[in-house]
Amino acid sequence: MARPLIAGNWKMNLRLSEAISLAEAVRREAEKADGPDLLLCPPFPFLAAVGEALRGSRVALGAQTLHPEPKGAYTGEVAGEMLAEVGCRFAIVGHSERRQHFREDNAAVAARVRAAHRARLAALVCVGETLPEREEGRTLEVVERQAGAALEAHPSDVASVTVAYEPVWAIGTGRIATVEQAAEAHQAIRRLVRETRPSARDVRVLYGGSVTPDTAPALLAHPEVDGALVGGASLKADSFLAIVRAVPKARLGRSA
Ligand code: 13P
């Protein structure tokens, strides 16, 4: 079983001073005894400063997206190579807000997965169904299609794969998937990873969507849930660290 990962996706929130204080608080938590792996994904302009605040700690830095090309005339965009240079180890790819507001389809997501690997970043691939898709009974079909497109873009010898199941209807709504709903989607994703990328020994399937200190314990106690991708509750140290501490001690035994 993979070591759990708790990731904060700050989206387009926080002021620089708040971002640095929050990173410092997470860093202090990471210096304490055993805990899950930790990842913070600040907005682009804060990456270097937050990276500095996290330097030498075991809290990883991640970007919220990246452009498929390594460089060039793409005003406003940021290449994976640039993100790696400021200390990023991860890039979120395929977040539903990118799919929805920036029209990123599965091909665009796959191009960004390839770009992340080219830049030696781990892609944190997000997949999830909308409410109408769930109501039509198409959840697993949608999740498998999204995950499949992203997985095929990983190198065939990839050792480590991280996917976040984020049902669109649970993001920022306070409406959370039941543990059973999450487990069903996670199982399907894990099966697909095993089939398409058998080289991946370290497979993590995170849950995201209205994770709070109240909802985290039941989710994180389920063996199918390898951690959480947290939005709103990651913006305050108290709530984020309460989620970090909700990871069952039994899951922290060993590194994958
Ligand atoms: P919320 O935790 O605010 O629902 O956001 C989840 C999310 O989109 C994380 O990527």
Side-chain angles (χ1 to χ4, degrees):
M1 229 182 246
R3 192 174 177 80
L5 170 68
I6 305 293
N9 174 8
W10 294 352
K11 307 190 181 182
M12 198 172 72
N13 292 298
L14 300 175
R15 306 301 299 261
L16 179 57
S17 58
E18 295 169 325
I20 292 170
S21 308
L22 183 51
E24 285 169 349
V26 176
R27 179 190 179 122
R28 281 194 295 276
E29 175 76 14
E31 280 161 4
K32 290 191 198 157
D34 214 9
D37 288 349
L38 298 170
L39 167 65
L40 297 180
C41 301
F44 283 145
F46 299 168
L47 280 171
V50 169
E52 201 52 48
L54 298 177
R55 188 191 289 273
S57 78
R58 57 180 195 82
V59 186
L61 185 69
Q64 297 175 15
T65 182
L66 76 166
H67 190 270
E69 297 298 327
K71 64 177 189 146
Y74 299 98
T75 302
E77 293 294 317
V78 177
E81 285 74 0
M82 296 167 175
L83 298 170
E85 226 180 331
V86 295
C88 287
R89 285 177 39 214
F90 284 81
I92 298 175
V93 175
H95 193 280
S96 67
E97 288 151 18
R98 301 294 312 176
R99 294 181 192 262
Q100 185 188 344
H101 302 303
F102 303 94
R103 309 241 163 104
E104 288 181 14
D105 59 12
N106 285 338
V109 172
R112 284 161 175 77
V113 170
R114 278 190 284 273
H117 283 283
R118 187 192 61 222
R120 299 184 192 287
L121 299 170
L124 198 178
V125 173
C126 299
V127 300
E129 81 288 0
T130 62
L131 192 55
E133 286 164 344
R134 173 164 285 275
E135 285 169 350
E136 289 161 16
R138 297 176 49 220
T139 297
L140 295 187
E141 171 203 325
V142 169
V143 164
E144 285 173 359
R145 184 158 11 88
Q146 292 178 344
L151 283 167
E152 277 172 21
H154 282 74
S156 55
D157 61 349
V158 68
S160 169
V161 166
T162 309
V163 179
Y165 169 58
E166 297 207 312
V168 179
W169 48 270
I171 296 179
T173 58
R175 190 173 163 191
I176 190 161
T178 63
V179 175
E180 292 72 27
Q181 286 171 331
E184 184 188 32
H186 285 220
Q187 242 162 28
I189 293 165
R190 208 180 298 280
R191 194 181 326 117
L192 201 60
V193 177
R194 284 208 190 100
E195 281 167 19
T196 60
R197 288 295 178 269
S199 62
R201 286 173 306 281
D202 176 17
V203 180
R204 287 196 275 211
V205 186
L206 314 182
Y207 171 82
S210 296
V211 177
T212 65
D214 290 336
T215 58
L219 281 160
L220 295 173
H222 197 286
E224 278 292 340
V225 180
D226 301 312
L229 179 54
V230 187
S234 74
L235 299 174
K236 291 233 155 57
D238 283 358
S239 46
F240 187 64
L241 296 180
I243 294 168
V244 170
R245 292 177 196 132
V247 174
K249 290 281 170 283
R251 288 297 302 271
L252 300 173
R254 63 183 179 86
S255 260

